[in-house]
C-alpha cells in the first residue's frame, strides 16, 4: 500500500492533510482530507467512453454527511440517512459550479464526484473543505482536467478577514463568502454580507484567492507524487469541412437575425432556428439525419459568435438595449387579498409573484443536519414551473436549481428583517415568466411582499444579474442579462443590496484570466442598476405598511420568571390548554436562560387580551399586604384553603375569617365561594401563604385596635388590687382542679 500525504498549513496554524492510496483504491481518484477531527473522503469515477449522441459533460456531484460523523442517529422511522438535504444540495452546487467549466469541452464521459463527511466536530465547517477534497481526487486520477481548484470561506470577524473560520467565529461575521479559484483565476463566488461596499467585497475575494494558490500548489505536488498519466480519449467525431461550410453560409444570416433586436425571446429563438433549419434543408436528404447533431453543434458556435461580436463591436444587445440599460419594470404591492403580504415584480420577460405568510414559533423550520441543529424563523421558497419558459412538461418537485436560487434570495433578505421579530416568516416566490435574473426578481418581489405584509424591514433590498462578453482585447459588462446572454456570455454575476451596501452575491466565471479591474467595473455598474430598481420599488411602496393585514395573526410576547413556566403550563398541560381553549389564542413558551418567553398569537385582539390577562395573573408574584379575589377550594376543621392566584393556595385560618368567633368553618364559607382576602404572611421556610378575611371587614363597635375580641370595661371588673393579696385568697388548689385542655377547647 503506497500511501501519500501532503499538508497545507493555514496562517492560524491549523493543518489540512490530503491523503491518497489508502482508501477507495478502485475509484479513479480518492483523497481523504483531514483537518482536526474533520475527515472528508472524496472520490471520482469517470466512464471510459462516452455515448454516441452525447455532446455535453454529464457531471454529477454529490456531497453527503454521515450522522455518525458526530455520533448522532438520523431522525425518522428508518433511522438511516435518506434523501439529500437542502444543505447538502447547496454544498454539492458549490463544488459542481467550480469543477464543471474546467473539464475539456470535448470530454463527454459520464463522471461522478462524491464527497462524504465521515468525521466532524462542532467547530470545523466542512463545506469550505469539500471543493478542495473533490479537486484533489480528480488531480490524482487519470481524468483530464484543467485544474486544480480549491474553495475557501472568507469571513470578516471583528474587522479582520479570516480563511475558513470556525463556526463560533462565523456567528459574529459581517461578511461570509465562499470563493473557488484555480491558481490563476477566480471561478466562483457566493455568500452574504451585512451591507458591505463593493471595495470591501473585492478585497475579500482577492484575500481568498491568495490562500487558494497554496492549496493548488499542494495538489500539484500530490498529483506529481502519485504520477498517474491522464487518459487518452476521443469523444467527438468532427467534420471540419461541414464546420467551415456552416460558418461560411450561416454567420452573416445569424448576425442579421441578432441585429433585429427583438425583445420577444421566443421570436428570436424561431428566427435563429430558421437559419439552422434552412441550412439543414440545403443538405442532400440522405445526409441530413446523419449530420443533424453536428450541424446543431457547429451552428450553436456560429450563433454565439455572432451575438458576441454584435455586443463587442456595436454595443448592441439582442433586445436592443445598451450595455448598462435595465429592462422595463412594473410592479404591484398587495395584488392578492388572501396572503398576509403579496407582490408582483416584472422586469422585461421575467416575472415573480411573491407571497408572505406570518406564523408563530410552531411554524419555525426544524434543522436536523448531521453537523447542525436548530430552528429557522425566516424561510424563502422559490418555484420555477415549466410554463414560465413556455415548456410543455409536468412539474416534478423542486430541483437543485430551485434550491440554489431560493437560498441566494434568502441570504439577500434575511439580515433586513427586524431584530427580535416575533413572527415566523415564509416567502414563496413563483416564477411566472423567465428570461434571465429570476432569482433577482425574487429578491425584489420578496422585498415588496414583506413591506406589503406590514413587516418593518430595516431597508428594501434589490438585486441585479450582470454579464460579461470578452475576447481578451475588448470587453462589455452587461446589466440585467437575458437568459441567452447568460448562456452565451463569459460571466453570470448576481448582486443584491440596499442603498448602503451589498447583502448577497453569486458569481460564476466561464473565462480564464478575468482581471480584477473588470470585476470592479461590474460591481460598480451593478450598484447603479440596483439603485435604479430601488427607485421603482419605492415609487410602488415607499415604506412598509403601518399595520398588519386584518386577517394576519397578532402576537404579544411576555417575559416571565423561569420558575413560573410550570405554573403556566400546569400539570399535564392542563392550564395552558384551558387558556388556549377559552381564549382562542395560540401560546408558545420557550425557556431562554433564566426567563420564559411567552408568545401569544391570535387573529383578534380580544383573544390575545384574555390570554394575556390569565398568564399575567399566573405569573405575577404574591405580595404581602396585597388584596386578592379568591375562591374557596377546600374546607377543613381549622380553616379554608383559598386559591387567591391561579395555581396558588393559601390558608385562611378559622380565626382570620371574621372578628366574631366562628365555631365551624362551614357556618361562614363553603367550597366554591368567592372571597376577598389579604395576604398577611409568607412562611420563609416553607413558602406557605397565610390569608386573612377579617382584616378587610369593619371592626365591631367597642373592639380595641390591639385586641380582636370585644371586651367589657376593665373598671366594671374591678381593680386587681380590690381582690386582695394572693395569700388572702387561699392556695390555688382550693379552687379545684383545672380542666383538661381538650375539655377547655
Amino acid at each position: 500500500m503506497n500511501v501519500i500525504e501532503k499538508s497545507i498549513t493555514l496562517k492560524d496554524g491549523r493543518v489540512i492533510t490530503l491523503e491518497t492510496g489508502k482508501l477507495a483504491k478502485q475509484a479513479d481518484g480518492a483523497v481523504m482530507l483531514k483537518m482536526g477531527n474533520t475527515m472528508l473522503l472524496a472520490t471520482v469515477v469517470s466512464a471510459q467512453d462516452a455515448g454516441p449522441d452525447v455532446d455535453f459533460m454529464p457531471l454529477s456531484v454529490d456531497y453527503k454527511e454521515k450522522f455518525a460523523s458526530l455520533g448522532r442517529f438520523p431522525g425518522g422511522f428508518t433511522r438511516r440517512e435518506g434523501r439529500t438535504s437542502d444543505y447538502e444540495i447547496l454544498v454539492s452546487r458549490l463544488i459542481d459550479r467550480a469543477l464543471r467549466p474546467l473539464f475539456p469541452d470535448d470530454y463527454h464521459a459520464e463522471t461522478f464526484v462524491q464527497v462524504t463527511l465521515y468525521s466532524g466536530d462542532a467547530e470545523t465547517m466542512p463545506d469550505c473543505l469539500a471543493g478542495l477534497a473533490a479537486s484533489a481526487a480528480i488531480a490524482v486520477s487519470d481524468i483530464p482536467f484543467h485544474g486544480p481548484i480549491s474553495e475557501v470561506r472568507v469571513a470578516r470577524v471583528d474587522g479582520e478577514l479570516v480563511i475558513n473560520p470556525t463556526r463560533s467565529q462565523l456567528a459574529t461575521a459581517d461578511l461570509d463568502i465562499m470563493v473557488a479559484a484555480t491558481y490563476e483565476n477566480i471561478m466562483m463566488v457566493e455568500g452574504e454580507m451585512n451591507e458591505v461596499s463593493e471595495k470591501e467585497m473585492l478585497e475579500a475575494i482577492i484575500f481568498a484567492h491568495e490562500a487558494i494558490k497554496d492549496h493548488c500548489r499542494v495538489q500539484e505536488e500530490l498529483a506529481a507524487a502519485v504520477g498517474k498519466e491522464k487518459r487518452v480519449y476521443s469523444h467527438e467525431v468532427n467534420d471540419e469541412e461541414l464546420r467551415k461550410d456552416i460558418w461560411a453560409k450561416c454567420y452573416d444570416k445569424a448576425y442579421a437575425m441578432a441585429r433585429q433586436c427583438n425583445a420577444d425571446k421566443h421570436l428570436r429563438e424561431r428566427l435563429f432556428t430558421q437559419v439552422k433549419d434552412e441550412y439543414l434543408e440545403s443538405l442532400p436528404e440522405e445526409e441530413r439525419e446523419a449530420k443533424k447533431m453536428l450541424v446543431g453543434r457547429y451552428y450553436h458556435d456560429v450563433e454565439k459568435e455572432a451575438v458576441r461580436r454584435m455586443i463587442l463591436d456595436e454595443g448592441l444587445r439582442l433586445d436592443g438595449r445598451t450595455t448598462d440599460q435595465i429592462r422595463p419594470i412594473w410592479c404591484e404591492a398587495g395584488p392578492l387579498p388572501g396572503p398576509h403580504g403579496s407582490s408582483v415584480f416584472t422586469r422585461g420577460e421575467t416575472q415573480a409573484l411573491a407571497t408572505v405568510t406570518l406564523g408563530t414559533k410552531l411554524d419555525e423550520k426544524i434543522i436536523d443536519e448531521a453537523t447542525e441543529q436548530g430552528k429557522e424563523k425566516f424561510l424563502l421558497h422559490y418555484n420555477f414551473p415549466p410554463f414560465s419558459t413556455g415548456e410543455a412538461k409536468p412539474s416534478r418537485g423542486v430541483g437543485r436549481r430551485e434550491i440554489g436560487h431560493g437560498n441566494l434570495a434568502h441570504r439577500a433578505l434575511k439580515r433586513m428583517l427586524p431584530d427580535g421579530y416575533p413572527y415566523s416568516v415564509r416567502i414563496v416566490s413563483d416564477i411566472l415568466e423567465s428570461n434571465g435574473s429570476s432569482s433577482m426578481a425574487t429578491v425584489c418581489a420578496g422585498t415588496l411582499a414583506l413591506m406589503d405584509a406590514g413587516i418593518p424591514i430595516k431597508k428594501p433590498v434589490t438585486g441585479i444579474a450582470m454579464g460579461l462578453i470578452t475576447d481578451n482585447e475588448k470587453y462589455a459588462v452587461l446589466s440585467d442579462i437575458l437568459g441567452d446572454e447568460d448562456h452565451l456570455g463569459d460571466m453570470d454575476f448576481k448582486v443584491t443590496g440596499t442603498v448602503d451596501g451589498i447583502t448577497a452575491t453569486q458569481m460564476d466565471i466561464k473565462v480564464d484570466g478575468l482581471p480584477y479591474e473588470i470585476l470592479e467595473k461590474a460591481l460598480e455598474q451593478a450598484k447603479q442598476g440596483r439603485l435604479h430598481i430601488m427607485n421603482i420599488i419605492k415609487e410602488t411602496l415607499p415604506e412598509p405598511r403601518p399595520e398588519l393585514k386584518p386577517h394576519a395573526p397578532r402576537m404579544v410576547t411576555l417575559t416571565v420568571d423561569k420558575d413560573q413556566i410550570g405554573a403556566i403550563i400546569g400539570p399535564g398541560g392542563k392550564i395552558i390548554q384551558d387558556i388556549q381553549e377559552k381564549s382562542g389564542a395560540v401560546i408558545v413558551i420557550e425557556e431562554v436562560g433564566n426567563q420564559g418567553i411567552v408568545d401569544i398569537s391570535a387573529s383578534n385582539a380580544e383573544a390575545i387580551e384574555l390570554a394575556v390577562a390569565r398568564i399575567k395573573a399566573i405569573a405575577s408574584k404574591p405580595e404581602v399586604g396585597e388584596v386578592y379575589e379568591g375562591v374557596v377550594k377546600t374546607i377543613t376543621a381549622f380553616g379554608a384553603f383559598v386559591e387567591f392566584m391561579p395555581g396558588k393556595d393559601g390558608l385562611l385560618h378559622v380565626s382570620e375569617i371574621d372578628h366574631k368567633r366562628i365555631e365551624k368553618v362551614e357556618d361562614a364559607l363553603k367550597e366554591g365561594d368567592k372571597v376577598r382576602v389579604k395576604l398577611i404572611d409568607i412562611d420563609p421556610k416553607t413558602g406557605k401563604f397565610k390569608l386573612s378575611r377579617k382584616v378587610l371587614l369593619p371592626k365591631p363597635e367597642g373592639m380595641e385596635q390591639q385586641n380582636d375580641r370585644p371586651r367589657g370595661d376593665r373598671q366594671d371588673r374591678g381593680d386587681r388590687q380590690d381582690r386582695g393579696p394572693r395569700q388572702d385568697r387561699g392556695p390555688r388548689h382550693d379552687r379545684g382542679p383545672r380542666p383538661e385542655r381538650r375539655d377547655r377547647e
Side-chain angles (χ1 to χ4, degrees):
M1 184 168 58
N2 182 25
V3 179
I4 301 172
E5 280 191 4
K6 296 290 179 180
S7 63
I8 303 163
T9 302
L10 303 181
K11 288 184 178 180
D12 61 4
R14 290 177 295 167
V15 177
I16 301 172
T17 301
L18 301 175
E19 177 190 271
T20 189
K22 183 177 180 180
L23 302 174
K25 294 190 293 296
Q26 293 189 45
D28 290 333
V31 167
M32 178 65 86
L33 180 150
K34 303 176 185 177
M35 180 171 157
N37 291 333
T38 296
M39 300 176 68
L40 291 160
L41 177 64
T43 62
V44 59
V45 177
S46 188
Q48 290 298 320
D49 208 350
D53 297 326
V54 178
D55 61 352
F56 63 95
M57 174 61 187
L59 174 66
S60 297
V61 178
D62 286 299
Y63 171 81
K64 296 290 288 183
E65 292 186 343
K66 299 291 187 181
F67 276 75
S69 64
L70 275 87
R72 298 186 62 235
F73 271 79
F77 291 106
T78 62
R79 296 295 179 188
R80 67 176 299 165
E81 287 80 5
R83 71 172 186 85
T84 306
S85 69
D86 286 2
Y87 170 73
E88 290 169 327
I89 287 172
L90 293 171
V91 178
S92 300
R93 280 173 53 84
L94 289 173
I95 303 168
D96 186 304
R97 286 162 45 212
L99 298 180
R100 190 177 293 272
L102 295 175
F103 289 95
D105 291 339
D106 60 349
Y107 188 76
H108 304 319
E110 201 165 16
T111 303
F112 294 87
V113 175
Q114 176 82 49
V115 182
T116 306
L117 177 71
Y118 279 106
S119 178
D121 61 59
E123 284 297 300
T124 303
M125 305 284 286
D127 55 354
C128 56
L129 303 170
L132 169 59
S135 175
I138 299 173
V140 301
S141 75
D142 65 343
I143 301 168
F145 185 62
H146 301 318
I149 63 101
S150 186
E151 288 180 346
V152 299
R153 170 180 273 109
V154 57
R156 190 168 64 182
V157 182
D158 298 329
E160 297 291 328
L161 294 175
V162 180
I163 295 295
N164 292 352
T166 63
R167 197 178 295 274
S168 298
Q169 288 176 313
L170 194 62
T172 61
D174 66 348
L175 179 148
D176 169 20
I177 59 174
M178 294 281 284
V179 180
T182 64
Y183 187 87
E184 296 85 8
N185 303 306
I186 299 293
M187 300 299 299
M188 187 274 304
V189 179
E190 181 167 326
E192 62 186 77
M193 295 133 254
N194 191 16
E195 297 182 282
V196 306
S197 68
E198 286 72 14
K199 180 181 178 182
E200 290 170 313
M201 194 182 88
L202 192 58
E203 288 174 352
I205 293 172
I206 295 171
F207 183 77
H209 195 192
E210 290 304 310
I212 286 172
K213 290 177 181 179
D214 291 336
H215 297 193
C216 293
R217 277 194 292 264
V218 171
Q219 288 181 72
E220 289 171 348
E221 293 172 5
L222 183 67
V226 172
K228 189 177 289 187
E229 292 186 5
K230 297 300 181 181
R231 68 180 64 172
V232 177
Y233 65 94
S234 178
H235 296 163
E236 288 186 359
V237 176
N238 286 299
D239 186 334
E240 290 303 321
E241 288 187 7
L242 180 63
R243 188 201 303 269
K244 292 176 182 177
D245 191 54
I246 291 174
W247 275 84
K249 294 178 179 179
C250 296
Y251 181 82
D252 291 341
K253 292 180 180 179
Y255 195 96
M257 292 300 181
R259 280 196 100 260
Q260 290 189 21
C261 298
N262 290 293
D264 187 331
K265 79 168 186 175
H266 293 296
L267 177 57
R268 289 198 306 270
E269 289 172 0
R270 289 195 295 270
L271 291 174
F272 281 124
T273 302
Q274 180 180 322
V275 176
K276 181 182 71 173
D277 291 344
E278 287 176 357
Y279 181 83
L280 273 173
E281 289 295 323
S282 70
L283 296 177
E285 188 173 351
E286 63 274 12
E287 297 179 11
R288 289 176 196 166
E289 192 60 36
K291 294 183 177 181
K292 186 175 181 179
M293 189 177 78
L294 287 178
V295 169
R297 182 193 303 167
Y298 299 151
Y299 178 72
H300 173 270
D301 295 339
V302 168
E303 181 184 321
K304 178 178 179 179
E305 183 63 16
V307 173
R308 291 166 63 87
R309 290 315 322 170
M310 183 181 72
I311 294 171
L312 289 172
D313 297 340
E314 300 188 56
L316 282 176
R317 299 169 68 176
L318 283 167
D319 57 357
R321 286 181 292 148
T322 59
T323 55
D324 61 351
Q325 189 175 354
I326 311 300
R327 288 175 289 177
I329 295 172
W330 74 265
C331 42
E332 182 180 358
L336 305 175
H340 299 149
S342 62
S343 72
V344 174
F345 180 86
T346 306
R347 180 170 52 207
E349 294 177 304
T350 297
Q351 185 177 77
L353 172 65
T355 60
V356 166
T357 307
L358 300 177
T360 68
K361 288 184 179 296
L362 299 176
D363 299 303
E364 292 178 352
K365 176 184 177 182
I366 299 173
I367 301 172
D368 186 23
E369 310 285 357
T371 56
E372 184 178 1
Q373 298 82 49
K375 293 182 178 180
E376 175 65 65
K377 292 181 67 172
F378 176 49
L379 312 177
L380 192 151
H381 296 142
Y382 166 101
N383 299 313
F384 193 83
F387 66 76
S388 65
T389 55
E391 294 181 86
K393 66 178 185 181
S395 295
R396 293 287 186 245
V398 179
R400 291 190 172 195
R401 178 182 177 277
E402 284 90 335
I403 291 171
H405 280 39
N407 180 65
L408 176 60
H410 176 269
R411 301 178 88 173
L413 293 168
K414 71 177 186 179
R415 292 175 185 254
M416 291 301 110
L417 262 69
D419 297 331
Y421 195 59
Y423 290 93
S424 296
V425 180
R426 181 185 183 226
I427 298 177
V428 177
S429 173
D430 289 305
I431 304 305
L432 306 185
E433 294 183 53
S434 179
N435 186 12
S437 306
S438 61
S439 62
M440 298 297 94
T442 292
V443 172
C444 300
T447 291
L448 274 173
L450 288 171
M451 293 198 295
D452 178 59
I455 298 174
I457 60 174
K458 297 173 185 176
K459 297 170 191 174
V461 181
T462 58
I464 190 170
M466 308 297 294
L468 174 70
I469 305 292
T470 180
D471 62 359
N472 296 323
E473 293 182 4
K474 297 180 181 180
Y475 73 89
V477 175
L478 310 179
S479 296
D480 181 23
I481 58 174
L482 303 169
D484 288 338
E485 291 170 337
D486 180 8
H487 175 63
L488 303 173
D490 300 314
M491 180 179 73
D492 177 15
F493 190 5
K494 300 180 178 74
V495 189
T496 74
T498 68
V499 293
D500 295 319
I502 300 170
T503 59
T505 187
Q506 183 183 92
M507 178 174 64
D508 293 299
I509 297 175
K510 312 164 194 175
V511 64
D512 292 340
L514 178 66
Y516 288 123
E517 293 78 13
I518 295 179
L519 194 53
E520 187 175 9
K521 175 177 171 55
L523 281 167
E524 182 56 35
Q525 195 167 313
K527 179 179 180 180
Q528 299 308 315
R530 291 199 333 265
L531 295 178
H532 168 76
I533 299 166
M534 187 71 72
N535 290 333
I536 298 174
I537 291 285
K538 289 185 175 181
E539 288 174 6
T540 304
L541 190 59
E543 57 187 18
R545 301 199 190 278
E547 298 288 341
L548 301 179
K549 297 292 176 68
H551 57 287
R554 267 55 180 174
M555 185 176 292
V556 171
T557 300
L558 302 178
T559 301
V560 301
D561 290 341
K562 178 180 176 181
D563 58 4
Q564 302 204 334
I565 295 176
I568 297 172
I569 295 173
K574 181 179 179 180
I575 293 177
I576 195 170
Q577 290 172 11
D578 182 65
I579 297 173
Q580 292 183 113
E581 181 180 348
K582 291 180 178 177
S583 68
V586 175
I587 302 170
V588 179
I589 304 177
E590 184 179 19
E591 186 178 314
V592 179
N594 291 321
Q595 293 182 322
I597 307 301
V598 185
D599 288 329
I600 307 163
S601 62
S603 58
N604 63 81
E606 184 180 351
I608 290 179
E609 289 173 3
L610 182 58
V612 166
R614 289 198 57 184
I615 290 173
K616 282 186 174 180
I618 297 172
S620 59
K621 292 183 177 180
E623 294 185 18
V624 174
E626 287 294 315
V627 176
Y628 300 94
E629 187 79 24
V631 177
V632 177
K633 291 294 184 180
T634 308
I635 300 291
T636 68
F638 52 85
F641 285 96
V642 177
E643 185 180 48
F644 64 98
M645 291 179 64
K648 293 179 174 60
D649 293 349
L651 174 62
L652 178 61
H653 193 269
V654 63
S655 63
E656 296 293 339
I657 295 176
D658 205 331
H659 293 291
K660 64 183 180 181
R661 182 179 181 86
I662 303 294
E663 296 296 335
K664 290 185 177 181
V665 178
E666 292 88 339
D667 293 341
L669 299 172
K670 60 179 180 295
E671 291 183 4
D673 280 356
K674 292 183 178 180
V675 57
R676 288 181 75 244
V677 293
K678 184 175 184 178
L679 179 60
I680 58 174
D681 192 21
I682 302 175
D683 191 303
K685 293 183 178 180
T686 64
K688 292 181 178 180
F689 305 107
K690 299 178 182 179
L691 306 174
S692 175
R693 174 174 172 265
K694 75 178 182 182
V695 297
L696 302 177
L697 301 175
K699 291 182 172 60
E701 291 184 9
M703 177 174 289
E704 296 179 4
Q705 182 70 26
Q706 65 269 25
N707 198 320
D708 289 340
R709 290 186 296 178
R711 301 182 182 182
D713 190 341
R714 283 185 180 271
Q715 293 179 355
D716 295 339
R717 299 171 60 193
D719 191 279
R720 181 180 293 272
Q721 293 177 353
D722 296 340
R723 300 170 64 185
R726 176 77 193 174
Q727 60 269 24
D728 295 340
R729 289 185 281 141
R732 181 180 296 274
H733 65 266
D734 294 341
R735 298 164 61 191
R738 298 180 67 186
E740 291 293 330
R741 180 172 298 274
R742 60 174 176 269
D743 295 334
R744 290 167 59 199
E745 293 178 353

